[in-house]
């Protein structure tokens, strides 16, 4: 079974600084998708960025970028120029191509709570 | 429009009550999901509907009963719940469901308290 590990339960960053959230995963599949979701204190889960495993190029979305290292099974999220609105719980998630219904499932890490200090 | 709406926002119920949670999307998505989320934990998948048919039931107790009346609407009927069922219930939808790259869009959730 796939597992997703976020080793940093909490992180903090100064406003305008850069922070990197780590995520590692374990899978035997060669193709899959990885996601970072953000859940602010208001609760709604929002997709930040996604990456398909067979694409070499790291995904970027404005101030958010990933460092995807397939061989190392690592998928870290870099937030540049951090803003107060970036404060949230960040979940790394995996979704694979297995049959039997598991291809519907997002496997989440335990989350990293990011605090942004003014 | 990438909006999933959920009602009510908050719900308090006794263990003998019957209540329902509602989720709606108008993005033309054909897969809809119910998740349960405890505080500071990741969401746990409960049910998946694909093309209005139940595709996944993650061994959820029968006191939770999902229903998908049409492609835009998803309900979760609650009966005889336990205090440990208190949680945030999230609904999500995605375009097709069985495709791993299908992005799931989440609603704001219903905060359920069982007394």
């Amino acid at each position: 079974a796939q597992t997703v590990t976020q080793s940093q339960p909490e992180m903090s960053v100064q406003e305008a600084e850069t922070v990197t959230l780590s995520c590692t995963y374990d899978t035997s599949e060669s193709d899959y998708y990885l996601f970072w979701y953000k859940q602010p204190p208001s609760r709604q889960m929002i997709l930040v960025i996604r990456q398909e495993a067979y694409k070499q190029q790291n995904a970027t979305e404005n101030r958010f970028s990933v460092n995807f290292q397939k061989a190392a099974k690592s998928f870290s999220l870099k937030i540049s120029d951090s803003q107060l609105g970036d404060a949230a719980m960040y979940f790394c998630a995996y979704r694979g191509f297995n049959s039997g219904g598991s291809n519907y499932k997002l496997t989440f890490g335990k989350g990293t709570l990011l605090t942004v200090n003014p | 429009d990438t909006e999933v709406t959920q009602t009510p926002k908050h719900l308090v119920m006794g263990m003998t009550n019957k209540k329902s949670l509602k989720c709606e999307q108008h993005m033309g998505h054909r897969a809809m999901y119910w998740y349960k989320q405890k505080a500071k934990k990741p969401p746990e998948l409960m049910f998946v509907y694909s093309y209005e048919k139940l595709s996944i039931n993650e061994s959820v107790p029968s006191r939770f009963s999902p229903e998908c009346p049409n492609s835009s609407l998803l309900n979760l009927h609650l009966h005889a719940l336990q205090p440990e069922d208190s949680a945030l219930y999230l609904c999500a939808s995605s375009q097709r469901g069985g495709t791993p790259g299908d992005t799931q869009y989440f609603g704001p959730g219903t905060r359920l308290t069982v007394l």
Side-chain angles (χ1 to χ4, degrees):
Chain A
Q2 293 81 17
T3 58
V4 177
T5 302
Q6 293 179 249
S7 58
Q8 306 151 317
E10 296 185 19
M11 292 278 286
S12 64
V13 64
Q14 291 296 125
E15 204 175 356
E17 299 284 299
T18 295
V19 64
T20 298
L21 309 183
S22 67
C23 173
T24 58
Y25 58 94
D26 188 25
T27 184
S28 57
E29 296 180 288
S30 58
D31 200 10
Y32 45 85
Y33 283 82
L34 296 163
F35 305 83
W36 278 100
Y37 278 91
K38 168 186 175 181
Q39 190 174 33
S42 61
R43 305 173 310 182
Q44 187 150 10
M45 190 95 67
I46 302 165
L47 177 70
V48 175
I49 203 163
R50 75 174 204 171
Q51 173 87 41
E52 182 163 11
Y54 79 80
K55 290 189 176 177
Q56 302 274 355
Q57 190 170 8
N58 289 326
T60 62
E61 285 287 340
N62 301 313
R63 298 180 297 105
F64 298 88
S65 61
V66 297
N67 182 4
F68 173 51
Q69 299 188 11
K70 191 174 184 180
K73 295 180 182 174
S74 172
F75 183 60
S76 60
L77 175 70
K78 185 171 86 171
I79 306 173
S80 304
D81 185 25
S82 297
Q83 300 176 359
L84 294 177
D86 295 333
M89 181 72 90
Y90 286 81
F91 291 103
C92 178
Y94 170 103
R95 192 169 175 188
F97 283 80
N98 280 335
S99 62
S102 61
N103 52 333
Y104 288 94
K105 296 177 65 172
L106 276 170
T107 300
F108 287 95
K110 291 187 175 181
T112 296
L113 183 63
L114 178 67
T115 303
V116 181
N117 300 309
Chain B
D1 184 9
T2 56
E3 190 177 62
V4 176
T5 59
Q6 290 186 243
T7 54
K9 290 185 178 179
H10 300 275
L11 178 63
V12 179
M13 61 186 289
M15 289 189 285
T16 59
N17 292 156
K18 285 186 181 180
K19 296 286 184 183
S20 296
L21 310 184
K22 179 180 171 181
C23 173
E24 202 161 1
Q25 58 87 14
H26 296 288
M27 297 178 277
H29 289 176
R30 301 313 299 271
M32 297 185 77
Y33 310 74
W34 280 116
Y35 288 87
K36 173 182 177 181
Q37 187 180 27
K38 292 282 200 178
K40 297 187 178 181
K41 299 289 186 184
E44 300 171 20
L45 184 65
M46 299 175 71
F47 302 104
V48 180
Y49 272 84
S50 180
Y51 293 85
E52 294 135 64
K53 292 185 179 177
L54 184 64
S55 296
I56 294 180
N57 176 341
E58 288 286 288
S59 302
V60 178
S62 60
R63 57 185 184 269
F64 295 91
S65 175
E67 179 196 19
C68 189
N70 58 58
S71 60
S72 300
L73 191 57
L74 185 67
N75 298 320
L76 186 63
H77 303 296
L78 315 172
H79 173 55
L81 294 193
Q82 304 296 310
E84 59 264 30
D85 297 322
S86 298
L88 182 67
Y89 287 84
L90 295 170
C91 175
S93 72
S94 69
Q95 195 165 11
R96 288 184 296 277
T99 305
D102 223 15
T103 297
Q104 293 186 23
Y105 295 92
F106 286 82
T110 293
R111 173 72 62 192
L112 174 67
T113 303
V114 182
L115 301 175

